[in-house]
Amino acid sequence: MGAINPDEIISILKEEIKNYDEISKDQEVGTVISVGDGIATVYGIDHAMYGEVVTSRMV
């Protein structure tokens, strides 16, 4: 493996920060109420459909 170039990392981070608002516009945020047997009850995701796979992220 080669050495990590700090300038390349900074460039990538700046690009991700610049595009953050564009990426986050298409996301809904909800609150997990309960989880059990592979089923989650989530409040606040108004456009999720029955059987749809959603992803979660710890904040």
Side-chain angles (χ1 to χ4, degrees):
M1 275 205 281
I4 297 174
N5 181 350
D7 292 330
E8 185 177 349
I9 293 172
I10 291 170
S11 174
I12 291 169
L13 288 173
K14 284 182 178 180
E15 188 68 25
E16 290 295 321
I17 291 169
K18 184 175 84 172
N19 293 329
Y20 179 76
D21 284 338
E22 293 173 18
I23 295 169
S24 65
K25 287 181 186 176
D26 294 333
Q27 297 178 359
E28 285 187 278
V29 177
T31 303
V32 176
I33 306 300
S34 65
V35 177
D37 294 328
I39 299 173
T41 303
V42 181
Y43 175 79
I45 301 180
D46 297 330
H47 295 97
M49 303 297 284
Y50 175 79
E52 183 175 5
V53 175
V54 296
T55 59
S56 65
R57 179 172 49 123
M58 297 296 289
V59 181

